[in-house]
Amino acid sequence: MLTHLLQKLNHKPPTTVFLRRKTTSAEYVASRNRDPTFEKLMDKYKNLFKVIAIQDLILGTTTNAAAPPAVSLDFLNRLSQRLHLNRGATHFLRKYPHIFNIFHHPIKLQPYCTLTETALKITQQEATAINATLPLVVTRLVRLLSMSMTKSLPLRAIFKVFRELGLPDDFEESVILKKSDLFALVDSGNEPNTHLLKLVGDIPKGELVGAVDNWRVVECCKEDCGVDRNEILYSFNHSYPPGMKLKRSFKAKVKEWQQLKYVGPYEAVDIGKKRKNKIGMMEMEKRAVGIVHEFLSLTVEKMVEVEKISHFRKWFGIDLNVRDLFLDHPGIFYLSTKGYRHTVFLREAYERGCLIEPNAVYEARRKLLDLVILGRRGLSRGHSEPTGMIQGEDCFTEEVKTDSDED
């Protein structure tokens, strides 16, 4: 009996592995560290997206040459749910009298909506800026196609991000057909009625340099550069949300990740070989970061909806959930969930809610955002230009409190 008890006491139980409860994607998004500057910016953008959707409907109507484009309020009210206008189109339009003008149509005998003169000028300014930068537009398309594994992309996917890339509305005719030495539209063999945009021109390898590579060169050339040149060779620019606690273990992992070698977005890679070992998988994950970093760098506002970029995932050879990829790297990207969408920003491109290096298209769109922020103010004084936001060190400094952002 005593021997039996001693054997039970000396017997070591099997080692128990305590697994962390698997976090769902929604929980992962909810647990992210918020950045007040980006959240404040998205508070303004979420209504701007609705304004742009209505503006496109108005501009898309065909009217007499003498009359400005207009749509009926009845038509917009029927689309309220699709446009996320919770209290109806009429209520939303009346919140922005500097953008929309409601009038009674003399022939149709019902209320119609058109754009104000100020809003029309902004759309014309944006169109002029896009047409003036067509060579840059061509370069963006070349770079985008060069990141694809097959040097081709579905045309429908490009249509989803044509505004983000600063493409003209008629980019099929004004860019693709006019640059037949670079681009070609071909049928997709797998999907009927689907066209692929293919890169047919030969692009010298040295011409395609990623945005992060340019940053590395600038950092190395600084006189006060305290970073080892070998360490920065594969590094990315990091800046974290204010108040985010950076533990020592987290910093160590980031430093190790920064030094990890990877294949750049414009270089060919054998995905099959990389998937055979852990280091190869880590390198592919870093390559995915490099691809979406370059994608965001090519956009006009250095931001894009996550759902839109997901359409390119297979063509870029990214075998990961892109939303989780953004959350895994909070020092490079910022993910916002405001406005019925998930939007990702390139952190390094922004400072105090504004682009560090603005462009003409961005500045035109920012004027429309100013009108959204202005709301109903200025009507009694006869103002037609945005005066509700005072530009200063912070894009939203001394901003006058607006009407309710909720629709």
Side-chain angles (χ1 to χ4, degrees):
M1 184 69 178
L2 181 60
T3 305
H4 181 67
L5 288 173
L6 288 173
Q7 287 178 348
K8 290 188 70 175
L9 290 171
N10 292 329
H11 175 68
K12 293 181 179 179
T15 303
T16 304
V17 180
F18 295 95
L19 297 175
R20 181 176 60 87
R21 182 175 65 86
K22 186 177 180 181
T23 304
T24 65
S25 185
E27 290 173 337
Y28 194 19
V29 172
S31 65
R32 76 193 188 282
N33 292 87
R34 267 54 165 200
D35 191 317
T37 302
F38 283 108
E39 291 300 312
K40 192 174 183 179
L41 177 61
M42 275 307 299
D43 266 333
K44 311 304 174 186
Y45 263 105
K46 67 182 182 182
N47 282 333
L48 175 65
F49 293 145
K50 298 175 185 178
V51 166
I52 291 174
I54 298 175
Q55 175 183 274
D56 289 344
L57 289 173
I58 294 174
L59 294 175
T61 57
T62 54
T63 57
N64 298 328
V71 294
S72 68
L73 260 61
D74 180 61
F75 172 72
L76 292 177
N77 280 317
R78 291 200 302 270
L79 294 176
S80 293
Q81 188 174 2
R82 184 180 298 180
L83 296 172
H84 301 295
L85 307 179
N86 300 330
R87 299 171 69 177
T90 306
H91 173 82
F92 184 82
L93 296 172
R94 286 174 176 168
K95 286 173 61 178
Y96 305 108
H98 294 283
I99 303 174
F100 302 112
N101 178 35
I102 300 176
F103 66 98
H104 191 78
H105 201 287
I107 301 175
K108 303 289 185 179
L109 301 179
Q110 59 176 312
Y112 264 64
C113 175
T114 186
L115 295 175
T116 63
E117 184 178 348
T118 304
L120 282 172
K121 285 181 180 178
I122 292 175
T123 59
Q124 292 167 0
Q125 181 181 346
E126 180 182 346
T128 302
I130 290 174
N131 291 328
T133 58
L134 282 182
L136 185 58
V137 167
V138 172
T139 302
R140 290 191 190 122
L141 273 181
V142 168
R143 287 178 173 271
L144 198 66
L145 291 166
S146 297
M147 288 192 289
S148 169
M149 305 292 289
T150 59
K151 299 295 182 286
S152 59
L153 292 169
L155 189 61
R156 65 171 183 270
I158 297 175
F159 264 112
K160 287 183 176 295
V161 294
F162 87 96
R163 186 184 296 276
E164 285 81 356
L165 294 174
L167 300 177
D169 295 340
D170 62 340
F171 72 90
E172 282 187 271
E173 290 79 19
S174 61
V175 177
I176 296 174
L177 294 181
K178 285 189 176 181
K179 290 291 181 179
S180 56
D181 56 323
L182 290 175
F183 311 117
L185 285 175
V186 297
D187 291 329
S188 173
N190 299 328
E191 302 178 42
N193 301 322
T194 300
H195 290 89
L196 297 178
L197 179 62
K198 191 174 182 64
L199 182 65
V200 294
D202 293 328
I203 308 299
K205 188 176 180 181
E207 288 187 8
L208 299 176
V209 180
V212 68
D213 294 307
N214 292 328
W215 170 79
R216 291 166 187 157
V217 172
V218 172
E219 288 297 306
C220 287
C221 293
K222 288 182 178 178
E223 294 182 2
D224 58 344
C225 180
V227 183
D228 190 334
R229 265 62 173 177
N230 294 324
E231 289 186 8
I232 206 172
L233 189 60
Y234 299 102
S235 296
F236 284 79
N237 191 358
H238 278 69
S239 64
Y240 295 95
M244 181 177 176
K245 295 181 180 179
L246 304 177
K247 296 181 179 180
R248 185 179 299 177
S249 59
F250 178 80
K251 291 181 179 179
K253 288 181 180 179
V254 171
K255 185 176 181 180
E256 181 183 357
W257 184 87
Q258 289 277 62
Q259 296 173 358
L260 179 68
K261 296 180 181 180
Y262 75 103
V263 181
Y266 298 119
E267 300 175 50
V269 61
D270 189 339
I271 296 179
K273 289 184 178 180
K274 291 290 185 181
R275 288 174 178 169
K276 291 182 179 180
N277 57 75
K278 184 178 179 180
I279 296 297
M281 292 293 291
M282 292 173 63
E283 290 176 358
M284 287 303 297
E285 188 265 353
K286 190 167 184 177
R287 172 180 166 82
V289 171
I291 289 174
V292 293
H293 181 282
E294 185 68 10
F295 188 102
L296 286 167
S297 299
L298 294 176
T299 61
V300 171
E301 298 171 271
K302 315 309 177 194
M303 57 178 279
V304 71
E305 190 177 344
V306 175
E307 185 270 335
K308 293 180 179 180
I309 199 173
S310 296
H311 289 274
F312 297 88
R313 189 170 63 91
K314 181 185 74 174
W315 299 88
F316 289 158
I318 299 177
D319 193 20
L320 298 165
N321 184 317
V322 290
R323 183 174 59 181
D324 290 349
L325 190 72
F326 298 138
L327 294 172
D328 288 340
H329 299 276
I332 304 175
F333 311 109
Y334 184 75
L335 181 71
S336 174
T337 60
K338 288 185 178 292
Y340 300 97
R341 66 185 70 206
H342 288 185
T343 307
V344 62
F345 292 86
L346 186 61
R347 291 190 60 86
E348 66 193 63
Y350 279 83
E351 185 177 10
R352 297 180 182 273
C354 288
L355 274 187
I356 297 175
E357 298 179 1
N359 52 74
V361 180
Y362 166 82
E363 289 175 345
R365 294 176 181 175
R366 197 77 186 198
K367 289 183 178 180
L368 187 61
L369 179 62
D370 288 353
L371 291 181
V372 172
I373 296 172
L374 186 60
R376 296 185 58 83
R377 294 189 304 277
L379 294 178
S380 60
R381 298 187 298 273
H383 290 168
S384 60
E385 296 295 329
T387 57
M389 190 170 75
I390 302 174
Q391 296 287 348
E393 291 184 358
D394 189 334
C395 283
F396 300 109
T397 299
E398 299 182 38
E399 181 187 325
V400 183
K401 191 171 182 180
T402 63
D403 298 333
S404 173
D405 284 336
E406 294 304 320
D407 183 37

